[in-house]
Amino acid sequence: MSASELLDLSGRVALVTGAGQGVGHQIAATLAEYGASVIVNDFDLDRAKRVADEICTAGHVAMAARADVGDFDQVNRMFSDHGLGPVSIVVNNAGNGGAGPTPTRQLPFWEQRPADWERFLRVNLDGVLNVTQRGIAQMVPNGWGRVITIISDAGRVGESRGMEAYSGAKAGAAGFTRAIARLGGQYGITANCISLGATRTPAIEAQIQNEAFTKKVLSNYIVRRFGEPSDAANAALFLSSEAASYITGQTLPVNGGFSLTL
Ligand SMILES: NC(=O)c1ccc[n+]([C@@H]2O[C@H](COP(=O)([O-])OP(=O)(O)OC[C@H]3O[C@@H](n4cnc5c(N)ncnc54)[C@H](O)[C@@H]3O)[C@@H](O)[C@H]2O)c1
């Protein structure tokens, strides 16, 4: 097979969560460009519609689907109602770890309340279980599938400053995704994670304006730039494709070499 045939996703239906902006937006657009029909999920329907319209205007197939990934019933309805056929690629991208200045970020963990950490677990861990559970139910009968979970370097190395629960949720999502790799192998399903470093999206836009923050962060990235959503999307395309059919249970760091500075 040629390289372009290996990356061809024609005939696949992909669901990308949290695709109304940022990394998810770019992943949805890239998978559609390579032939997948894409369900653009977000709990903000206007955002999802804007992205789906943009993809359709570019001549590809997409539809918007509103669901809060942390709510199993909403996720279940989304999988039943979309009408594009069985989902064969799930990208668990929805997350709420933006480095924004939240009240939680200013509190040491020992002063936080359960509500401060439950909101991280709900999206970054429960959301991944909910969506993957419904997704693989549609992949197993077809004997082919891809699960890709976007985690964070916070989940691999731990981040404090109010991000303890976020770190735990992302690490949990990675462990869960490896378990799905074990389960899915016999059904032609691979499951992998992409671990992102600081990536230029609306989630960290405000921080990037801060020169001191930028200097400090980039000193840990050996390529000396922030990640772009396209960096994540290119990795997601590869892992979604036939080119990655022998790769499962892995975490691919897309982080400008951050790992090497640890
Ligand atoms: N941007 C970074 O620096 C960075 C670093 C490491 C990991 N990540 C991870 O990458 C992923 C994408 O991050 P981003 O920077 O594009 O974020 P973002 O905040 O720019 O976009 C996230 C999108 O997800 C949607 N969303 C949030 N909660 C949802 C829910 N419960 N159900 C459905 N949709 C929901 C939001 O409405 C938003 O459109 C996340 O999982 C994040 O944790 C990002």
Side-chain angles (χ1 to χ4, degrees):
M1 252 194 235
S2 68
S4 58
E5 283 170 336
L6 281 169
L7 294 178
D8 184 9
L9 301 180
S10 302
R12 308 287 187 209
V13 176
L15 185 143
V16 185
T17 67
Q21 67 176 30
V23 167
H25 173 178
Q26 189 58 50
I27 291 174
T30 300
L31 299 189
E33 188 187 337
Y34 279 78
S37 302
V38 178
I39 302 158
V40 179
N41 158 263
D42 208 289
F43 65 5
D44 182 326
L45 185 59
D46 289 340
R47 279 185 194 168
K49 278 185 174 159
R50 270 197 300 275
V51 170
D53 285 351
E54 175 194 298
I55 293 171
C56 292
T57 302
H60 311 301
V61 179
M63 59 166 291
R66 203 207 89 81
D68 174 349
V69 297
D71 181 319
F72 182 80
D73 291 339
Q74 289 186 26
V75 169
N76 196 25
R77 269 199 300 281
M78 172 172 67
F79 273 91
S80 315
D81 292 353
H82 62 73
L84 286 181
V87 168
S88 44
I89 300 168
V90 157
V91 184
N92 290 305
N93 166 79
N96 60 354
T102 63
T104 308
R105 281 209 141 227
Q106 290 145 27
L107 288 179
F109 186 64
W110 60 87
E111 286 179 16
Q112 290 179 28
R113 307 294 302 159
D116 294 325
W117 60 77
E118 278 159 7
R119 70 192 187 90
F120 286 123
L121 301 181
R122 191 165 186 280
V123 183
N124 297 288
L125 183 55
D126 294 346
V128 173
L129 269 69
N130 291 339
V131 173
T132 304
Q133 203 263 0
R134 292 292 71 213
I136 62 171
Q138 299 193 347
M139 296 173 195
V140 165
N142 290 325
W144 195 95
R146 297 283 187 266
V147 175
I148 297 164
T149 301
I150 307 297
I151 65 158
S152 164
D153 282 339
R156 298 192 310 129
V157 303
E159 189 181 335
S160 54
R161 299 182 298 123
M163 300 300 275
E164 297 84 0
Y166 175 74
S167 302
K170 289 296 196 189
F176 167 75
T177 302
R178 283 192 291 275
I180 294 302
R182 282 191 188 274
L183 171 68
Q186 63 191 307
Y187 303 106
I189 299 169
T190 67
N192 293 287
C193 293
I194 294 170
S195 184
L196 299 182
T199 305
R200 190 187 293 274
T201 70
I204 66 162
E205 200 57 57
Q207 277 62 41
I208 289 180
Q209 306 309 323
N210 178 329
E211 212 174 299
F213 169 87
T214 295
K215 201 168 164 211
K216 183 163 177 281
V217 170
L218 292 189
S219 67
N220 292 319
Y221 288 78
I222 62 178
V223 301
R224 296 289 187 267
R225 68 165 174 85
F226 287 102
E228 297 295 334
S230 58
D231 295 313
N234 293 340
L237 169 64
F238 169 65
L239 290 173
S240 296
S241 75
E242 269 321 297
S245 61
Y246 202 53
I247 300 174
T248 195
Q250 305 304 312
T251 293
L252 175 60
V254 176
N255 63 7
F258 171 73
S259 330
L260 300 183
T261 65
L262 298 175

